[in-house]
Amino acid sequence: MDNKDLANLIFPDVKGVEYYEKVYSKRELPEGANVVRYAPSPTGFMHIGGIYQSLIAKVLAKQSNGVFYVRIEDTDQKREVENGVKQILDALEYYDVYPDETIGKGEYAPYLQSERKDIYQSYAKKLVEEGNAYPCFCTQEQLDEIRSNQEKAKERTGYYGKWTKCRSMPISMAIEKIKNGDPYIVRLKSPGNPDKKIKHKDVIKGNIDFPENDQDIVIIKSDGLPTYHFAHAVDDHLMGTTLVTRGDEWVASVPLHLQLFYILGFKAPKYAHTAALMKQEGEGKRKLSKRKDPEAAVSYYKEEGIPKDSVLEYLMNIANSNFEIWRKQNPTLSIYEFPFDLKKMGVSGALFDMVKMLDVSKGVISKYSAEEVYKFVYEWAEEFDGELKEMLENNKEYSLKVLGIERGNSKPRKDISKWSDVKNIIKYMYDEKFINEDINYEYQKISDKEIIKNIVKTYFDKYYDENDDKQTWFDKMKDLAESFGYAREVKEYKANPDNFPGHVGDISTVIRVAITGRCNTPDLYEILKVLGKESIQKRLQKI
Ligand code: GLU
């Protein structure tokens, strides 16, 4: 009896690996094309890091005329949740980082690992035949005992070297046990020697030396499904992955992964381990956490109304710090045109900062047309804010004008960072909200009620004309200032501050606050144009 008999007993009905090697033939792609993948487990929580990974993978594939595919790693069925796969694919679709190949689309199917059981078994069988894998019958109690002995002896824990009970079990005995119905799993017979080093050249992290792996890891579990390590090696080989981009929590697995590729006779892909997204906390930094940070969840951005373009734009900023300069020089190009370079990625923690994200978002939103803003805000409001939805719906034409204020010019307004802020930002433009609102008018320099009333009345009766162009309007504002003894120009006031109670800006602030209830607004002339005479009159009468 030999390893072949053992392999046939463990895996009686599987096809030979030649079959799969033929079915999943080598990809025909241009020289230098990257085949990159995102390989999440469907755990029911979509971390923003998943969009980050997918974006990087998609850019790398697209820019090299390669392929970006998504493989769902669901072999740990205890961790799986219902709808987990759908959640992932929906999020990728929403963020426009949908892969070229995934479940339901692509020639290297299935892309769901639980449907590839036979494939993994075929390769595991080969390893058993070659004597590179073996059945292990250790019970949980025996494994616990090994561990406790290792701890007592202050040695590394795990199933390796002299601790491997079943590694040297005679084949006849293993066969007998299997025939007897004893439960077992299949382990790798690791050829590694931890006193020796393997050299790894990571695309991002550079050269790293690791001790060789000597752990006889489980490759096939008792349910017949593979472990992640084993499955991913088989899949990355068969699916033609050339470049693995993934979070640097996987760096420590590199020696094992390279060993698996070697034993299986596969060419290993290149690896690029990306630094984790970090959050500033006090002086230090920590990983963006699913438990502590709402912004770790992809769903957060949709709920807050942060546009996907803003999220992608910010993620690119984190990925390559020269993106920001490039964007300034190329304000209208797609992010896929940015010459992305893995080598320019940081090697340690990438700071994920919501303040910066919102700032980037202001820039992104400032480039949208009024129609686009209307559409996006409306879509957001439909789901999250009934009052805003009604405001927009009942006044569509008017809302387009409101949202169009200081938009579409060379210095567009940059006061909106997320759709959930829009209601507060534009509310005062709607008479039905403004007129009945109890406003605490915070005038600035001029605070005397009587003087304010007088300024406002004089303005409306003597100077306001809805047909005025901007220059005329502004000149009249100066006339108004002068009529109250205020300087027509700020410069004039600054030159002789004792000659005037103030300047034109103080007077226009009175008009601004009286009409909008705020001292900071976009351009007042544009606001007055949009509001129209009737509304202005009603507003000034409130004063
Ligand atoms: N399934 C692993 C995860 O959940 C993927 C690791 C890899 O990309 O190799 O992160």
Side-chain angles (χ1 to χ4, degrees), residues 37-43 53 71-74 79 113 228 232 236 244-247 249-250 257 271 273:
R37 85 305 193 271
Y38 169 49
S41 298
T43 56
Q53 290 297 342
R71 177 175 77 225
I72 304 289
E73 304 207 325
D74 63 339
R79 290 174 62 211
Q113 284 188 329
Y228 150 71
H232 109 282
D236 277 337
V244 169
T245 50
R246 60 183 180 190
E249 68 274 22
W250 294 102
H257 291 175
Y271 287 92
H273 287 94

Side-chain angles (χ1 to χ4, degrees), residues 381-409:
E382 264 187 315
E383 212 173 324
F384 301 104
D385 188 339
E387 189 192 1
L388 177 61
K389 173 180 175 255
E390 227 171 83
M391 256 168 80
L392 296 171
E393 218 163 50
N394 296 342
N395 312 280
K396 178 158 185 195
E397 286 313 308
Y398 181 72
S399 299
L400 282 168
K401 284 194 206 147
V402 171
L403 296 168
I405 291 175
E406 278 192 41
R407 195 172 285 286
N409 53 19

Side-chain angles (χ1 to χ4, degrees), residues 423-438:
K423 188 165 76 184
N424 275 334
I425 292 177
I426 62 170
K427 210 169 165 186
Y428 68 84
M429 293 298 290
Y430 295 77
D431 281 352
E432 76 262 26
K433 303 277 169 215
F434 187 84
I435 302 288
N436 304 320
E437 210 175 289
D438 190 14

Side-chain angles (χ1 to χ4, degrees), residues 142-161:
Q142 285 171 308
L143 294 175
D144 291 345
E145 197 188 322
I146 295 176
R147 171 180 266 275
S148 105
N149 288 339
Q150 288 167 332
E151 282 167 357
K152 264 187 238 149
K154 296 207 170 1
E155 292 199 28
R156 277 186 297 134
T157 54
Y159 206 83
Y160 65 93

Side-chain angles (χ1 to χ4, degrees), residues 64-76:
S64 63
N65 293 318
V67 177
F68 166 45
Y69 75 87
V70 168
R71 177 175 77 225
I72 304 289
E73 304 207 325
D74 63 339
T75 57
D76 188 357

